[in-house]
Short mmCIF file of all heavy atoms in Angstrom, two decimals:
data_model
loop_
_atom_site.label_atom_id
_atom_site.label_comp_id
_atom_site.label_asym_id
_atom_site.label_seq_id
_atom_site.Cartn_x
_atom_site.Cartn_y
_atom_site.Cartn_z
N MET A 1 -22.08 18.27 15.10
CA MET A 1 -21.46 17.54 14.02
C MET A 1 -21.28 18.43 12.79
O MET A 1 -20.29 18.30 12.07
CB MET A 1 -22.31 16.33 13.68
CG MET A 1 -21.80 15.59 12.50
SD MET A 1 -22.01 13.86 12.76
CE MET A 1 -21.53 13.25 11.20
N LYS A 2 -22.19 19.33 12.57
CA LYS A 2 -22.09 20.21 11.41
C LYS A 2 -20.85 21.09 11.50
O LYS A 2 -20.21 21.37 10.50
CB LYS A 2 -23.36 21.05 11.30
CG LYS A 2 -23.41 21.91 10.07
CD LYS A 2 -24.69 22.68 10.00
CE LYS A 2 -24.73 23.57 8.77
NZ LYS A 2 -25.92 24.36 8.70
N THR A 3 -20.48 21.52 12.69
CA THR A 3 -19.31 22.37 12.83
C THR A 3 -18.04 21.61 12.47
O THR A 3 -17.11 22.17 11.90
CB THR A 3 -19.19 22.92 14.25
OG1 THR A 3 -19.11 21.82 15.16
CG2 THR A 3 -20.36 23.79 14.60
N TYR A 4 -17.97 20.30 12.79
CA TYR A 4 -16.80 19.50 12.43
C TYR A 4 -16.73 19.33 10.91
O TYR A 4 -15.66 19.34 10.33
CB TYR A 4 -16.84 18.13 13.08
CG TYR A 4 -16.70 18.18 14.57
CD1 TYR A 4 -17.64 17.62 15.40
CD2 TYR A 4 -15.61 18.82 15.16
CE1 TYR A 4 -17.51 17.66 16.77
CE2 TYR A 4 -15.47 18.88 16.53
CZ TYR A 4 -16.43 18.30 17.33
OH TYR A 4 -16.30 18.36 18.68
N PHE A 5 -17.86 19.15 10.26
CA PHE A 5 -17.88 18.98 8.82
C PHE A 5 -17.42 20.23 8.10
O PHE A 5 -16.71 20.16 7.10
CB PHE A 5 -19.29 18.59 8.36
CG PHE A 5 -19.37 18.33 6.88
CD1 PHE A 5 -18.85 17.18 6.34
CD2 PHE A 5 -19.96 19.25 6.04
CE1 PHE A 5 -18.91 16.93 4.99
CE2 PHE A 5 -20.04 19.02 4.68
CZ PHE A 5 -19.51 17.86 4.16
N LEU A 6 -17.77 21.38 8.63
CA LEU A 6 -17.36 22.64 8.00
C LEU A 6 -15.87 22.90 8.14
O LEU A 6 -15.29 23.67 7.37
CB LEU A 6 -18.15 23.80 8.61
CG LEU A 6 -19.66 23.79 8.32
CD1 LEU A 6 -20.35 24.92 9.08
CD2 LEU A 6 -19.93 23.90 6.83
N LYS A 7 -15.21 22.24 9.10
CA LYS A 7 -13.78 22.42 9.31
C LYS A 7 -12.94 21.43 8.51
O LYS A 7 -11.72 21.45 8.60
CB LYS A 7 -13.44 22.26 10.79
CG LYS A 7 -14.00 23.37 11.65
CD LYS A 7 -13.64 23.16 13.10
CE LYS A 7 -14.23 24.25 13.96
NZ LYS A 7 -13.89 24.07 15.38
N THR A 8 -13.57 20.57 7.72
CA THR A 8 -12.80 19.59 6.95
C THR A 8 -12.03 20.28 5.83
O THR A 8 -12.38 21.36 5.38
CB THR A 8 -13.72 18.51 6.35
OG1 THR A 8 -14.68 19.14 5.50
CG2 THR A 8 -14.40 17.71 7.42
N LYS A 9 -10.98 19.61 5.39
CA LYS A 9 -10.11 20.17 4.37
C LYS A 9 -9.65 19.04 3.45
O LYS A 9 -9.36 17.94 3.91
CB LYS A 9 -8.90 20.82 5.04
CG LYS A 9 -7.88 21.38 4.09
CD LYS A 9 -6.70 21.95 4.88
CE LYS A 9 -5.57 22.28 3.94
NZ LYS A 9 -4.37 22.66 4.66
N LYS A 10 -9.59 19.30 2.17
CA LYS A 10 -9.09 18.32 1.22
C LYS A 10 -7.57 18.37 1.25
O LYS A 10 -6.97 19.42 1.04
CB LYS A 10 -9.60 18.64 -0.19
CG LYS A 10 -9.24 17.62 -1.21
CD LYS A 10 -9.90 17.93 -2.53
CE LYS A 10 -9.54 16.89 -3.55
NZ LYS A 10 -10.14 17.17 -4.86
N LEU A 11 -6.94 17.21 1.53
CA LEU A 11 -5.49 17.15 1.66
C LEU A 11 -4.86 16.65 0.38
O LEU A 11 -5.40 15.77 -0.29
CB LEU A 11 -5.11 16.20 2.80
CG LEU A 11 -5.66 16.57 4.18
CD1 LEU A 11 -5.31 15.48 5.18
CD2 LEU A 11 -5.11 17.89 4.63
N ASN A 12 -3.70 17.20 0.05
CA ASN A 12 -2.97 16.70 -1.11
C ASN A 12 -2.06 15.54 -0.67
O ASN A 12 -2.01 15.17 0.50
CB ASN A 12 -2.18 17.81 -1.81
CG ASN A 12 -1.14 18.43 -0.92
OD1 ASN A 12 -0.67 17.81 0.03
ND2 ASN A 12 -0.75 19.65 -1.23
N ARG A 13 -1.33 14.98 -1.61
CA ARG A 13 -0.54 13.78 -1.33
C ARG A 13 0.54 14.00 -0.27
O ARG A 13 0.72 13.17 0.62
CB ARG A 13 0.09 13.30 -2.64
CG ARG A 13 0.74 11.97 -2.54
CD ARG A 13 1.26 11.56 -3.93
NE ARG A 13 1.61 10.19 -3.97
CZ ARG A 13 0.81 9.20 -4.36
NH1 ARG A 13 -0.40 9.47 -4.76
NH2 ARG A 13 1.20 7.96 -4.36
N SER A 14 1.24 15.10 -0.32
CA SER A 14 2.30 15.35 0.65
C SER A 14 1.73 15.58 2.05
O SER A 14 2.34 15.18 3.04
CB SER A 14 3.16 16.53 0.23
OG SER A 14 2.39 17.71 0.18
N GLU A 15 0.59 16.21 2.14
CA GLU A 15 -0.05 16.41 3.45
C GLU A 15 -0.55 15.09 4.03
O GLU A 15 -0.48 14.88 5.23
CB GLU A 15 -1.21 17.40 3.31
CG GLU A 15 -0.77 18.82 3.02
CD GLU A 15 -1.91 19.76 2.69
OE1 GLU A 15 -2.98 19.29 2.25
OE2 GLU A 15 -1.72 20.97 2.87
N LEU A 16 -1.02 14.19 3.19
CA LEU A 16 -1.45 12.88 3.68
C LEU A 16 -0.28 12.08 4.22
O LEU A 16 -0.42 11.35 5.20
CB LEU A 16 -2.14 12.10 2.55
CG LEU A 16 -3.54 12.55 2.20
CD1 LEU A 16 -4.02 11.82 0.96
CD2 LEU A 16 -4.49 12.33 3.35
N LYS A 17 0.91 12.22 3.62
CA LYS A 17 2.08 11.53 4.15
C LYS A 17 2.43 12.04 5.53
O LYS A 17 2.87 11.28 6.38
CB LYS A 17 3.26 11.71 3.20
CG LYS A 17 3.17 10.86 1.97
CD LYS A 17 4.42 11.01 1.11
CE LYS A 17 4.33 10.16 -0.12
NZ LYS A 17 5.53 10.31 -0.97
N ASP A 18 2.25 13.34 5.75
CA ASP A 18 2.52 13.89 7.08
C ASP A 18 1.55 13.34 8.11
O ASP A 18 1.92 13.06 9.24
CB ASP A 18 2.43 15.42 7.04
CG ASP A 18 3.56 16.06 6.26
OD1 ASP A 18 4.61 15.39 6.12
OD2 ASP A 18 3.40 17.20 5.81
N VAL A 19 0.29 13.17 7.72
CA VAL A 19 -0.71 12.64 8.64
C VAL A 19 -0.40 11.19 8.98
O VAL A 19 -0.50 10.76 10.13
CB VAL A 19 -2.13 12.75 8.02
CG1 VAL A 19 -3.15 12.01 8.85
CG2 VAL A 19 -2.53 14.20 7.88
N ASN A 20 0.02 10.41 7.99
CA ASN A 20 0.31 8.99 8.20
C ASN A 20 1.69 8.75 8.80
O ASN A 20 2.09 7.63 8.99
CB ASN A 20 0.20 8.23 6.87
CG ASN A 20 -1.23 8.17 6.40
OD1 ASN A 20 -2.15 8.21 7.19
ND2 ASN A 20 -1.42 8.08 5.11
N GLY A 21 2.44 9.77 9.05
CA GLY A 21 3.76 9.63 9.64
C GLY A 21 4.87 9.53 8.63
O GLY A 21 6.00 9.23 8.97
N GLY A 22 4.56 9.73 7.36
CA GLY A 22 5.59 9.70 6.35
C GLY A 22 6.11 8.32 6.01
O GLY A 22 7.16 8.17 5.42
N VAL A 23 5.38 7.27 6.37
CA VAL A 23 5.82 5.91 6.11
C VAL A 23 5.60 5.59 4.64
O VAL A 23 4.53 5.84 4.09
CB VAL A 23 5.05 4.91 7.00
CG1 VAL A 23 5.45 3.49 6.67
CG2 VAL A 23 5.28 5.23 8.45
N ALA A 24 6.60 5.03 3.99
CA ALA A 24 6.49 4.64 2.59
C ALA A 24 5.58 3.41 2.47
O ALA A 24 5.32 2.71 3.45
CB ALA A 24 7.86 4.32 2.03
N SER A 25 5.10 3.17 1.28
CA SER A 25 4.23 2.02 1.09
C SER A 25 4.99 0.72 1.35
O SER A 25 6.17 0.59 1.07
CB SER A 25 3.67 2.02 -0.34
OG SER A 25 4.73 1.88 -1.26
N ILE A 26 4.28 -0.25 1.90
CA ILE A 26 4.88 -1.52 2.27
C ILE A 26 4.79 -2.48 1.09
O ILE A 26 3.73 -2.64 0.49
CB ILE A 26 4.18 -2.11 3.51
CG1 ILE A 26 4.35 -1.16 4.69
CG2 ILE A 26 4.72 -3.48 3.83
CD1 ILE A 26 3.57 -1.53 5.91
N ASN A 27 5.88 -3.11 0.77
CA ASN A 27 5.93 -4.05 -0.33
C ASN A 27 5.14 -5.30 0.03
O ASN A 27 5.34 -5.88 1.10
CB ASN A 27 7.39 -4.39 -0.63
CG ASN A 27 7.56 -5.21 -1.86
OD1 ASN A 27 6.59 -5.63 -2.49
ND2 ASN A 27 8.80 -5.47 -2.22
N GLN A 28 4.27 -5.76 -0.85
CA GLN A 28 3.48 -6.95 -0.60
C GLN A 28 4.34 -8.19 -0.44
O GLN A 28 3.99 -9.12 0.27
CB GLN A 28 2.49 -7.17 -1.76
CG GLN A 28 1.40 -6.15 -1.83
CD GLN A 28 0.37 -6.33 -0.74
OE1 GLN A 28 0.19 -7.43 -0.22
NE2 GLN A 28 -0.30 -5.27 -0.40
N CYS A 29 5.49 -8.21 -1.09
CA CYS A 29 6.36 -9.39 -1.03
C CYS A 29 6.93 -9.60 0.37
O CYS A 29 7.30 -10.72 0.72
CB CYS A 29 7.48 -9.27 -2.06
SG CYS A 29 6.87 -9.32 -3.75
N ASN A 30 7.02 -8.56 1.17
CA ASN A 30 7.49 -8.73 2.54
C ASN A 30 6.53 -9.61 3.33
O ASN A 30 6.95 -10.36 4.21
CB ASN A 30 7.65 -7.38 3.24
CG ASN A 30 8.78 -6.57 2.65
OD1 ASN A 30 9.63 -7.09 1.94
ND2 ASN A 30 8.79 -5.29 2.94
N PHE A 31 5.24 -9.54 3.03
CA PHE A 31 4.26 -10.38 3.71
C PHE A 31 4.23 -11.78 3.12
O PHE A 31 4.13 -12.76 3.83
CB PHE A 31 2.86 -9.76 3.62
CG PHE A 31 2.73 -8.47 4.37
CD1 PHE A 31 2.55 -7.29 3.71
CD2 PHE A 31 2.80 -8.45 5.75
CE1 PHE A 31 2.44 -6.10 4.39
CE2 PHE A 31 2.69 -7.27 6.45
CZ PHE A 31 2.50 -6.08 5.77
N LEU A 32 4.32 -11.88 1.81
CA LEU A 32 4.22 -13.18 1.16
C LEU A 32 5.47 -14.03 1.35
O LEU A 32 5.37 -15.25 1.55
CB LEU A 32 3.95 -13.00 -0.34
CG LEU A 32 2.60 -12.40 -0.72
CD1 LEU A 32 2.54 -12.13 -2.22
CD2 LEU A 32 1.47 -13.32 -0.32
N CYS A 33 6.63 -13.43 1.31
CA CYS A 33 7.90 -14.18 1.39
C CYS A 33 8.45 -14.27 2.81
O CYS A 33 9.37 -15.04 3.05
CB CYS A 33 8.94 -13.54 0.49
SG CYS A 33 8.50 -13.61 -1.26
N GLY A 34 7.94 -13.47 3.71
CA GLY A 34 8.45 -13.50 5.07
C GLY A 34 9.72 -12.69 5.21
O GLY A 34 9.94 -11.71 4.51
N ALA A 35 10.59 -13.13 6.10
CA ALA A 35 11.80 -12.37 6.42
C ALA A 35 12.77 -12.33 5.25
O ALA A 35 13.57 -11.41 5.14
CB ALA A 35 12.48 -12.98 7.63
N ALA A 36 12.72 -13.30 4.35
CA ALA A 36 13.65 -13.35 3.23
C ALA A 36 13.40 -12.20 2.26
O ALA A 36 14.32 -11.69 1.64
CB ALA A 36 13.52 -14.67 2.49
N GLY A 37 12.15 -11.78 2.11
CA GLY A 37 11.82 -10.72 1.18
C GLY A 37 11.76 -11.23 -0.25
O GLY A 37 11.94 -12.42 -0.51
N GLY A 38 11.47 -10.35 -1.17
CA GLY A 38 11.38 -10.74 -2.56
C GLY A 38 11.00 -9.56 -3.42
O GLY A 38 10.90 -8.44 -2.95
N VAL A 39 10.79 -9.84 -4.70
CA VAL A 39 10.39 -8.80 -5.65
C VAL A 39 9.12 -9.24 -6.37
O VAL A 39 8.86 -10.43 -6.51
CB VAL A 39 11.50 -8.50 -6.68
CG1 VAL A 39 12.71 -7.89 -6.01
CG2 VAL A 39 11.89 -9.75 -7.43
N VAL A 40 8.36 -8.28 -6.85
CA VAL A 40 7.11 -8.58 -7.55
C VAL A 40 7.45 -9.22 -8.89
O VAL A 40 8.31 -8.76 -9.62
CB VAL A 40 6.29 -7.29 -7.76
CG1 VAL A 40 5.05 -7.56 -8.57
CG2 VAL A 40 5.91 -6.69 -6.41
N SER A 41 6.76 -10.31 -9.18
CA SER A 41 6.97 -11.04 -10.43
C SER A 41 6.05 -10.49 -11.51
O SER A 41 4.84 -10.40 -11.33
CB SER A 41 6.68 -12.52 -10.21
OG SER A 41 6.79 -13.23 -11.41
N ILE A 42 6.64 -10.10 -12.63
CA ILE A 42 5.85 -9.56 -13.74
C ILE A 42 5.11 -10.69 -14.44
O ILE A 42 3.94 -10.57 -14.78
CB ILE A 42 6.75 -8.81 -14.73
CG1 ILE A 42 7.39 -7.61 -14.04
CG2 ILE A 42 5.97 -8.36 -15.94
CD1 ILE A 42 8.45 -6.93 -14.84
N ARG A 43 5.79 -11.81 -14.66
CA ARG A 43 5.16 -12.98 -15.28
C ARG A 43 5.28 -14.15 -14.33
O ARG A 43 6.28 -14.86 -14.34
CB ARG A 43 5.83 -13.30 -16.61
CG ARG A 43 5.61 -12.20 -17.64
CD ARG A 43 6.04 -12.60 -19.01
NE ARG A 43 7.46 -12.93 -19.06
CZ ARG A 43 8.04 -13.52 -20.08
NH1 ARG A 43 7.35 -13.86 -21.12
NH2 ARG A 43 9.33 -13.78 -20.07
N PRO A 44 4.26 -14.38 -13.49
CA PRO A 44 4.36 -15.45 -12.49
C PRO A 44 4.47 -16.83 -13.14
O PRO A 44 3.88 -17.09 -14.18
CB PRO A 44 3.07 -15.31 -11.68
CG PRO A 44 2.18 -14.43 -12.46
CD PRO A 44 3.02 -13.65 -13.41
N GLY A 45 5.26 -17.65 -12.53
CA GLY A 45 5.45 -19.01 -13.02
C GLY A 45 5.59 -19.98 -11.85
O GLY A 45 5.20 -19.68 -10.72
N VAL A 46 6.16 -21.12 -12.13
CA VAL A 46 6.34 -22.14 -11.11
C VAL A 46 7.31 -21.64 -10.06
O VAL A 46 8.36 -21.09 -10.38
CB VAL A 46 6.86 -23.44 -11.76
CG1 VAL A 46 7.12 -24.50 -10.70
CG2 VAL A 46 5.88 -23.94 -12.80
N GLY A 47 6.97 -21.82 -8.80
CA GLY A 47 7.83 -21.41 -7.71
C GLY A 47 7.56 -20.03 -7.17
O GLY A 47 8.12 -19.64 -6.15
N ASP A 48 6.73 -19.24 -7.83
CA ASP A 48 6.38 -17.92 -7.33
C ASP A 48 5.30 -18.04 -6.25
O ASP A 48 4.47 -18.94 -6.28
CB ASP A 48 5.88 -17.02 -8.45
CG ASP A 48 6.96 -16.64 -9.44
OD1 ASP A 48 8.14 -16.93 -9.15
OD2 ASP A 48 6.63 -16.09 -10.49
N VAL A 49 5.34 -17.12 -5.32
CA VAL A 49 4.36 -17.08 -4.24
C VAL A 49 3.33 -16.02 -4.58
O VAL A 49 3.69 -14.89 -4.92
CB VAL A 49 5.04 -16.74 -2.90
CG1 VAL A 49 4.04 -16.67 -1.79
CG2 VAL A 49 6.11 -17.76 -2.58
N CYS A 50 2.04 -16.38 -4.52
CA CYS A 50 0.97 -15.44 -4.85
C CYS A 50 0.00 -15.32 -3.68
O CYS A 50 -0.14 -16.24 -2.87
CB CYS A 50 0.20 -15.92 -6.08
SG CYS A 50 1.22 -16.05 -7.55
N ASN A 51 -0.70 -14.19 -3.62
CA ASN A 51 -1.75 -14.04 -2.61
C ASN A 51 -2.99 -14.82 -3.07
O ASN A 51 -3.01 -15.40 -4.15
CB ASN A 51 -2.05 -12.57 -2.32
CG ASN A 51 -2.56 -11.82 -3.52
OD1 ASN A 51 -2.61 -12.33 -4.63
ND2 ASN A 51 -2.93 -10.58 -3.31
N ALA A 52 -4.03 -14.83 -2.26
CA ALA A 52 -5.19 -15.68 -2.51
C ALA A 52 -5.88 -15.39 -3.84
O ALA A 52 -6.28 -16.31 -4.55
CB ALA A 52 -6.19 -15.54 -1.36
N ASP A 53 -6.02 -14.14 -4.22
CA ASP A 53 -6.72 -13.81 -5.47
C ASP A 53 -5.75 -13.66 -6.66
O ASP A 53 -6.16 -13.28 -7.74
CB ASP A 53 -7.57 -12.56 -5.31
CG ASP A 53 -6.76 -11.33 -4.98
OD1 ASP A 53 -5.54 -11.46 -4.75
OD2 ASP A 53 -7.34 -10.24 -4.96
N ARG A 54 -4.46 -13.98 -6.46
CA ARG A 54 -3.42 -13.96 -7.49
C ARG A 54 -3.26 -12.59 -8.15
O ARG A 54 -2.85 -12.49 -9.30
CB ARG A 54 -3.68 -15.03 -8.55
CG ARG A 54 -3.60 -16.43 -8.00
CD ARG A 54 -3.68 -17.49 -9.06
NE ARG A 54 -2.62 -17.42 -10.05
CZ ARG A 54 -1.39 -17.93 -9.91
NH1 ARG A 54 -1.09 -18.54 -8.79
NH2 ARG A 54 -0.51 -17.84 -10.88
N SER A 55 -3.58 -11.53 -7.41
CA SER A 55 -3.39 -10.19 -7.95
C SER A 55 -1.93 -9.75 -7.80
O SER A 55 -1.45 -8.92 -8.56
CB SER A 55 -4.31 -9.19 -7.26
OG SER A 55 -4.02 -9.11 -5.89
N VAL A 56 -1.21 -10.33 -6.84
CA VAL A 56 0.21 -10.03 -6.63
C VAL A 56 0.98 -11.35 -6.48
O VAL A 56 0.60 -12.18 -5.68
CB VAL A 56 0.43 -9.17 -5.36
CG1 VAL A 56 1.92 -8.96 -5.10
CG2 VAL A 56 -0.28 -7.85 -5.47
N CYS A 57 2.01 -11.53 -7.29
CA CYS A 57 2.88 -12.69 -7.19
C CYS A 57 4.31 -12.20 -6.98
O CYS A 57 4.70 -11.18 -7.53
CB CYS A 57 2.79 -13.56 -8.43
SG CYS A 57 1.18 -14.35 -8.66
N CYS A 58 5.09 -12.95 -6.22
CA CYS A 58 6.45 -12.54 -5.88
C CYS A 58 7.44 -13.66 -6.10
O CYS A 58 7.10 -14.83 -5.97
CB CYS A 58 6.52 -12.13 -4.41
SG CYS A 58 5.48 -10.74 -3.99
N ILE A 59 8.66 -13.27 -6.44
CA ILE A 59 9.79 -14.19 -6.48
C ILE A 59 10.54 -13.98 -5.17
O ILE A 59 11.05 -12.88 -4.91
CB ILE A 59 10.71 -13.87 -7.67
CG1 ILE A 59 9.94 -13.97 -8.98
CG2 ILE A 59 11.91 -14.80 -7.67
CD1 ILE A 59 10.70 -13.46 -10.17
N CYS A 60 10.59 -15.00 -4.34
CA CYS A 60 11.23 -14.87 -3.03
C CYS A 60 12.72 -15.15 -3.14
O CYS A 60 13.16 -15.94 -3.97
CB CYS A 60 10.59 -15.84 -2.05
SG CYS A 60 8.84 -15.48 -1.75
N TYR A 61 13.51 -14.49 -2.28
CA TYR A 61 14.96 -14.69 -2.25
C TYR A 61 15.29 -15.91 -1.44
O TYR A 61 14.67 -16.28 -0.54
CB TYR A 61 15.68 -13.47 -1.66
CG TYR A 61 15.50 -12.22 -2.46
CD1 TYR A 61 15.05 -11.05 -1.86
CD2 TYR A 61 15.78 -12.19 -3.81
CE1 TYR A 61 14.92 -9.89 -2.58
CE2 TYR A 61 15.64 -11.02 -4.55
CZ TYR A 61 15.21 -9.89 -3.92
OH TYR A 61 15.06 -8.73 -4.64
#
């Protein structure tokens, strides 16, 4: 196990994208709004869809 630890390397942001396959971050609204999609709401109000802890709210299309 010690030999594996000695071979570790600190990766920068571009190298991490290569490891993850270069996939861009997934918008939370795609999960909350479903196939219709949506945009993140800056000031959530009536009719907006929010996740359970209300950290992300979206206006669905």
